[in-house]
Amino acid sequence: MTSPADTTDTATFTAVPVPHTDEELAGITYNADGLVGAIIQDATDGTVLMFAWMNAESLARTLETGRTWFWSRSRQEYWCKGETSGDRQYVRGVRYDCDGDALLITVDQEGAGACHTGNRSCFYRAFGDGAVDDGPPAGP
Amino acid sequence: MTSPADTTDTATFTAVPVPHTDEELAGITYNADGLVGAIIQDATDGTVLMFAWMNAESLARTLETGRTWFWSRSRQEYWCKGETSGDRQYVRGVRYDCDGDALLITVDQEGAGACHTGNRSCFYRAFGDGAVDDGPPAGP
């Protein structure tokens, strides 16, 4: 059910499907569990927000919907980032590395951030600081 | 053996060990193969350069030497990035995520870049572009 509040919540960014070819999809290599790691990076300031896993179906959903879809290894189910928390990710680009076994997805991050702890980035801790700090570096 | 040329090659950046505690090390979770994924990001402009795997020993070497050490799954051996190519990585920070099962390492990248193809970043291809482009976005 859509309420006026829901409309306001989703008005910040627009989901845009990512063009892709079968040849590009065939270039992705999945591990023995059928998964590929996905690095999620803020499209605006370069902050690395999180790391999660995709299978072929969740990658296809991500490209087709313009929202990030992952595969939860613990729950054995698909999840669309932010559907529960409201902190949705709107995809701006999907890259893959030289081996085709890692993805780099740039997003507009809605809401408070990507981490379930309330931090903007899941990488809010560093060796040597012994405590929560200001998060990973963004661009200059 | 150290020659004057070697000295010049290594003069761009300085390797600095990363302070760390046993408690921080204990916070890292390794997968069934004893590995944790490491995202390598340029410390200056935020470009994501590569993704590779570390085990406990290569993470320890990375923290202690201030250079990136990985575990090659195909070769079953440790490798210190850039020892062959000259494109060394000097560690500026080592972060870990909320689950402790991914690392984010910021580096000063020496030489041409991180990728064996000659590209600065391993993520030089994107869905929808169908060709090599200018590489992933850095900060603004």
Side-chain angles (χ1 to χ4, degrees), chain A residues 41 46 94 97-98 122 125 127, chain B residues 41 46 94 97-98 122 125 127:
Chain A
Q41 183 182 31
V94 180
D97 74 354
C98 49
C122 293
R125 296 173 297 178
F127 280 96
Chain B
Q41 183 182 31
V94 181
D97 74 354
C98 50
C122 293
R125 296 173 296 178
F127 281 95

Side-chain angles (χ1 to χ4, degrees), chain A residues 25-67:
Chain A
L25 284 171
I28 306 302
T29 302
Y30 298 90
N31 70 12
D33 296 322
L35 301 173
V36 61
I39 303 161
I40 310 300
Q41 183 182 31
D42 187 293
T44 302
D45 72 6
T47 302
V48 175
L49 297 170
M50 58 182 280
F51 177 81
W53 295 91
M54 292 186 172
N55 59 19
E57 170 65 21
S58 61
L59 173 57
R61 292 188 190 190
T62 297
L63 294 167
E64 286 160 16
T65 67
R67 296 274 306 280

Side-chain angles (χ1 to χ4, degrees), chain A residues 63-116:
Chain A
L63 294 167
E64 286 160 16
T65 67
R67 296 274 306 280
T68 50
W69 283 85
F70 302 102
W71 175 254
S72 168
R73 295 174 297 172
S74 56
R75 298 193 305 272
Q76 291 284 298
E77 65 179 21
Y78 295 99
W79 56 288
C80 182
K81 175 69 183 170
E83 277 307 283
T84 305
S85 66
D87 299 332
R88 301 174 186 86
Q89 294 172 338
Y90 294 83
V91 178
R92 296 299 169 243
V94 180
R95 298 180 163 279
Y96 49 105
D97 74 354
C98 49
D99 298 326
D101 62 0
L103 301 171
L104 173 61
I105 302 181
T106 49
V107 302
D108 284 329
Q109 174 69 57
E110 196 175 60
C115 190
H116 73 285

Side-chain angles (χ1 to χ4, degrees), chain B:
Chain B
M1 196 170 74
T2 301
S3 71
D6 290 335
T7 307
T8 304
D9 282 349
T10 58
T12 313
F13 299 111
T14 304
V16 181
V18 178
H20 56 281
T21 65
D22 289 345
E23 188 180 355
E24 289 166 343
L25 284 170
I28 305 304
T29 301
Y30 298 89
N31 69 14
D33 295 322
L35 301 173
V36 61
I39 303 160
I40 309 300
Q41 183 182 31
D42 187 293
T44 302
D45 71 6
T47 302
V48 175
L49 298 170
M50 58 180 279
F51 178 81
W53 295 91
M54 292 187 171
N55 60 17
E57 170 65 21
S58 62
L59 173 57
R61 292 188 190 190
T62 297
L63 294 166
E64 287 161 15
T65 66
R67 296 274 307 279
T68 49
W69 282 85
F70 302 102
W71 174 253
S72 169
R73 295 175 296 172
S74 56
R75 298 193 305 272
Q76 292 283 299
E77 65 179 22
Y78 295 100
W79 56 288
C80 182
K81 175 69 182 170
E83 278 308 284
T84 305
S85 66
D87 299 332
R88 303 174 184 87
Q89 295 172 338
Y90 294 84
V91 178
R92 295 300 169 243
V94 181
R95 298 180 163 278
Y96 50 104
D97 74 354
C98 50
D99 298 325
D101 61 1
L103 301 171
L104 173 61
I105 302 182
T106 49
V107 303
D108 284 328
Q109 174 69 57
E110 196 175 59
C115 190
H116 73 286
T117 60
N119 288 282
R120 179 173 175 231
S121 166
C122 293
F123 295 93
Y124 57 91
R125 296 173 296 178
F127 281 95
D129 64 19
V132 172
D133 66 11
D134 296 335

